Amino acid sequence: MISIIEIIKAFFLGITVAISAALIPGPMMFATIGISLKKGCRAGESVFIGHALVELTIFLLILVGVSSSISETMMLYLTIIGGLMMVLLGVMLIKSAKEVSTMDILASESRLNLSFNPIYAGILTSALNPYFVIWWLAAGTAIILHEYMISIFAVVAFIVGHWIADLGFIVAVSSSSSKGKELISQSTYKNMLYFCGGLLMIFGLWFLINYNNFSAMV
């Protein structure tokens, strides 16, 4: 029977991955800001729905298309690649924290003119973002399959944690943008980058250290 510790670990891994990715300004963040300035704070929820639909499709493709034919060798490679990707993202987050001079995301709002459906914005800025796709094809696949080998409940816990963090961050950006206020202070933003970067590196190293155990689960 699956341990409650595994469920909790999967849940917090989902939160960590989501926040770590969200903290790096990208197409979806700026789309959320632009649309929220026009449509109000509720636009963020719609952007999240579009984003979640893309991720749900990827999750199902990973589980249905890959898990049925996964081999021990393939799981071994995926685990190593996934661990390296997580460590790399963690290093990038910490490097970004050192370079932060301001957290005035709204300074970019003058360059945005987005008036289309927020759900479409969430879909397009996710599906057409190469970094997003590459992440899920590498590290994301390793994580999902690892949790799947433990239990489908671990997969659900990871996805729930991931979406809770995604929704919370997108709504925060949307609400802040619609009111024309700064999202978070510079020091808070830097601390979040350091924390998530360090935590993601720990998860990545843990994957690398235990890669033999994960591959043996197939």
Side-chain angles (χ1 to χ4, degrees):
M1 187 173 180
I2 184 172
S3 166
I4 188 65
I5 300 298
E6 292 291 346
I7 296 291
I8 294 174
K9 180 179 68 65
F11 178 79
F12 281 103
L13 178 57
I15 291 176
T16 302
V17 169
I19 294 179
S20 299
L23 282 174
I24 300 177
M28 188 172 65
M29 177 184 287
F30 290 114
T32 301
I33 293 171
I35 293 173
S36 299
L37 289 169
K38 293 180 176 295
K39 299 180 179 292
C41 62
R42 298 301 298 272
E45 298 170 11
S46 298
V47 173
F48 166 75
I49 291 174
H51 174 70
L53 286 173
V54 175
E55 287 194 325
L56 179 60
T57 301
I58 293 174
F59 294 153
L60 292 176
L61 286 174
I62 291 173
L63 291 175
V64 176
V66 182
S67 62
S68 59
S69 59
I70 191 73
S71 67
E72 182 175 342
T73 301
M74 187 182 297
M75 188 63 189
L76 178 66
Y77 289 142
L78 284 172
T79 300
I80 294 174
I81 293 172
L84 289 173
M85 288 285 288
M86 281 187 277
V87 171
L88 180 60
L89 181 55
V91 171
M92 290 172 60
L93 286 172
I94 292 174
K95 185 174 182 292
S96 297
K98 293 180 179 180
E99 296 173 351
V100 167
S101 58
T102 179
M103 185 49 190
D104 187 12
I105 295 177
L106 299 183
S108 301
E109 67 188 42
S110 61
R111 300 196 298 269
L112 301 168
N113 184 25
L114 301 172
S115 57
F116 49 92
N117 189 303
I119 294 180
Y120 294 155
I123 293 174
L124 292 174
T125 55
S126 298
L128 300 181
N129 183 346
Y131 298 103
F132 174 84
V133 176
I134 290 172
W135 164 263
W136 283 114
L137 288 178
T141 299
I143 295 172
I144 293 294
L145 290 179
H146 166 246
E147 301 304 339
Y148 178 75
M149 297 303 172
I150 295 175
S151 168
I152 190 63
F153 295 110
V155 176
V156 172
F158 173 82
I159 294 174
V160 169
H162 187 82
W163 281 349
I164 286 176
D166 267 346
L167 177 61
F169 192 84
I170 292 173
V171 168
V173 170
S174 179
S175 177
S176 177
S177 302
S178 66
K179 296 175 183 178
K181 297 179 181 178
E182 189 180 71
L183 176 61
I184 53 178
S185 69
Q186 177 185 343
S187 61
T188 301
Y189 179 64
K190 291 179 70 172
N191 289 334
M192 289 174 67
L193 284 174
Y194 280 127
F195 177 76
C196 288
L199 202 57
L200 203 58
M201 288 179 67
I202 291 173
F203 275 120
L205 290 172
W206 183 69
F207 263 59
L208 292 173
I209 292 172
N210 295 279
Y211 69 92
N212 276 325
N213 295 332
F214 297 153
S215 61
M217 295 171 66
V218 177

